[in-house]
């Protein structure tokens, strides 16, 4: 087992098939692949089948982790009960915090790059583990504390993280946690457990709908990055050539796709508009890769024939 890992959380066969279709060929990675599979939506054998259709050696050697079993392991280890237990089982994104914790504990991994499955990997990611010596993240201004409960949220998270950050300090830097590069952090599991058991985390998840509820996990990462910086860890933002984050569908003509810059990884974090983005982007990169992707799973016979309606 290598000391570096790329951990990908997946719940959609089409996104994984797209990732594998454009993954670079004939490279020697300095990391192992770990697939964290949400088995409430797809099976590990289904993911293995998708991988088997592609000549991507590192994925054929991937280690698979059942996210539901991962949750059960930490429910027992941390003693989660009641709201905390349900929070972990139903939020849907908490496994991304547990990825580096689990891989270090079970496989001795020292540095973990965590990613969602709605990504294109256009280049070998090996160099990232050398370029960024500590932690790396993607800056984003969505998750500043601005709502009417901002001071209550600040106080609650300061309690969880045993910190005394001011509103100005935490709002000076925010991030998107879809892609993070971790080092070894002995305190991460400790603060995750405090976060999971805290009543304010439960309040944000259970008593709100939409944005506040589904961004609770992002809020953990927001404060954790500030905690790492305060403790003197090396923490850097990803540069644009390393990670491009798509948060909305742009107005650029598809034929210009990837003609100026090809990032190492492109994350199309556009929610339910993923099919709309792909409908334009996939034909737009045909000039570079010599083929137009044809959907085979969730979007089969649907993607290119519904031009004006989101499919999800």
């Amino acid at each position: 087992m290598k000391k570096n890992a790329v951990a990908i959380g997946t719940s959609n066969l089409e996104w994984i098939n797209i990732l594998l279709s454009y993954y670079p060929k004939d490279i020697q990675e300095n990391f192992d692949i770990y697939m964290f599979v949400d088995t409430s939506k797809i099976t590990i054998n289904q993911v293995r089948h998708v991988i088997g259709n592609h000549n991507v050696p590192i994925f054929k050697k991937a280690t698979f982790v059942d996210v539901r079993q991962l949750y059960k392991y930490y429910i027992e280890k941390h003693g989660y009960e009641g709201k905390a237990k349900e929070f972990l089982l139903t939020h849907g994104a908490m496994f991304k915090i547990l990825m580096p914790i689990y891989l270090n504990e079970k496989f001795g991994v020292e540095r973990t790059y965590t990613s969602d499955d709605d990504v294109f990997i256009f280049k070998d990611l090996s160099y990232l583990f050398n370029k960024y010596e500590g932690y790396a993240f993607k800056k984003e201004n969505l998750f500043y504390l601005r709502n009417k409960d901002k001071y209550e949220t600040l106080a609650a998270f300061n309690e969880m993280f045993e910190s005394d950050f001011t509103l100005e300090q935490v709002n000076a830097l925010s991030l998107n946690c879809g892609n993070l590069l971790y080092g070894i952090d002995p305190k991460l599991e400790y603060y995750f457990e405090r976060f999971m058991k805290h009543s304010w985390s439960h309040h944000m998840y259970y008593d709100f709908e939409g944005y506040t509820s589904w961004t609770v996990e992002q809020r953990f990462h927001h404060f954790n990055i500030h905690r790492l910086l305060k403790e003197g860890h090396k923490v850097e933002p990803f540069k644009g050539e390393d990670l491009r984050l798509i948060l909305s569908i742009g107005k650029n003509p598809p034929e210009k796709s990837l003609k100026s810059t090809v990032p190492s990884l492109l994350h199309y974090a556009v929610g339910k508009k993923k099919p709309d983005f792909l409908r334009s982007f996939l034909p737009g990169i045909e000039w570079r890769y010599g083929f137009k992707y044809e959907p085979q799973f969730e979007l089969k016979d649907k993607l290119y024939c519904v031009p004006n309606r989101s499919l999800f």
Side-chain angles (χ1 to χ4, degrees):
M1 293 290 186
K2 295 183 174 70
K3 296 299 183 181
N4 300 329
V6 170
I8 300 172
T10 183
S11 61
N12 185 290
L13 299 177
E14 201 75 70
W15 309 154
I16 287 296
N17 199 52
I18 291 171
L19 187 163
L20 291 165
S21 296
Y22 296 91
Y23 192 84
K25 303 296 190 293
D26 301 319
I27 58 176
Q28 296 293 322
E29 297 92 336
N30 66 0
F31 55 84
D32 292 318
I33 291 284
Y34 294 82
M35 302 295 295
F36 285 73
V37 182
D38 183 352
T39 53
S40 69
K41 297 180 180 178
I42 56 177
T43 70
I44 289 176
N45 282 338
Q46 285 178 311
V47 179
R48 289 186 188 274
H49 174 73
V50 174
I51 292 172
N53 292 333
H54 296 268
N55 183 24
V56 184
I58 193 171
F59 278 84
K60 291 182 182 294
K61 297 183 292 184
T63 298
F64 292 84
V65 179
D66 184 331
V67 169
R68 312 311 291 179
Q69 295 301 316
L70 176 77
Y71 287 160
K72 290 180 181 178
Y73 173 74
Y74 284 102
I75 286 170
E76 182 175 341
K77 184 179 181 182
H78 295 165
Y80 296 134
E81 298 177 343
K83 285 188 174 182
K85 179 179 178 179
E86 185 182 354
F87 181 26
L88 183 60
L89 289 172
T90 59
H91 183 276
M94 294 304 173
F95 69 91
K96 288 188 287 184
I97 305 173
L98 291 170
M99 281 174 165
I101 299 170
Y102 185 78
L103 294 184
N104 177 249
E105 178 182 347
K106 298 297 184 180
F107 301 99
V109 172
E110 296 179 357
R111 306 196 68 209
T112 301
Y113 185 106
T114 64
S115 177
D116 295 323
D117 56 359
D118 50 348
V119 298
F120 289 86
I121 298 177
F122 293 122
K123 299 178 183 178
D124 184 357
L125 301 181
S126 297
Y127 76 97
L128 295 175
F129 294 95
N130 298 317
K131 181 174 182 178
Y132 299 98
E133 297 177 0
Y135 301 79
F137 66 97
K138 184 65 175 177
K139 291 178 66 176
E140 185 189 330
N141 62 4
L142 267 179
F143 299 103
Y144 297 136
L145 291 175
R146 292 172 175 154
N147 60 25
K148 64 179 181 179
D149 297 324
K150 56 182 176 291
Y151 289 107
E152 291 89 343
T153 301
L154 177 69
F157 275 83
N158 270 331
E159 184 176 10
M160 295 176 212
F161 281 89
E162 303 172 312
S163 56
D164 57 358
F165 296 120
T166 66
L167 186 65
E168 290 73 21
Q169 286 174 318
V170 296
N171 279 350
L173 178 66
S174 183
L175 75 156
N176 180 285
C177 67
N179 291 266
L180 290 169
L181 179 56
Y182 290 86
I184 293 178
D185 181 1
K187 296 181 181 179
L188 182 61
E189 184 173 354
Y190 168 73
Y191 285 116
F192 177 73
E193 184 176 348
R194 289 176 63 87
F195 163 77
M196 288 301 304
K197 292 179 177 178
H198 200 282
S199 61
W200 193 261
S201 300
H202 303 163
H203 169 61
M204 293 176 73
Y205 179 62
Y206 290 104
D207 299 336
F208 293 89
E209 295 181 357
Y211 176 83
T212 300
S213 179
W214 60 258
T215 58
V216 181
E217 174 234 2
Q218 295 264 11
R219 189 65 64 205
F220 174 90
H221 287 291
H222 184 184
F223 272 78
N224 194 55
I225 284 291
H226 283 278
R227 190 262 304 177
L228 291 168
L229 285 165
K230 185 176 181 179
E231 292 178 358
H233 295 276
K234 190 166 186 178
V235 182
E236 303 173 79
F238 281 117
K239 297 186 182 300
E241 65 265 23
D242 302 322
L243 170 62
R244 183 181 175 192
L245 181 64
I246 306 293
L247 294 173
S248 60
I249 300 176
K251 297 181 180 180
N252 293 327
E255 62 270 15
K256 291 187 177 180
S257 297
L258 302 185
K259 287 197 173 182
S260 56
T261 302
V262 180
S264 298
L265 188 146
L266 184 149
H267 182 194
Y268 49 105
V270 292
K272 293 183 178 180
K273 294 185 178 181
K274 286 181 179 61
D276 300 317
F277 168 76
L278 293 170
R279 187 176 297 117
S280 173
F281 186 75
L282 290 171
I285 61 176
E286 181 179 357
W287 70 272
R288 178 177 287 276
Y289 293 95
F291 70 94
K292 185 177 78 170
Y293 177 82
E294 290 296 335
Q296 299 179 37
F297 300 97
E298 289 89 348
L299 296 182
K300 186 177 181 180
D301 300 324
K302 299 177 182 178
L303 182 61
Y304 300 124
C305 64
V306 189
N308 296 313
R309 180 169 56 85
S310 179
L311 297 174
F312 292 163

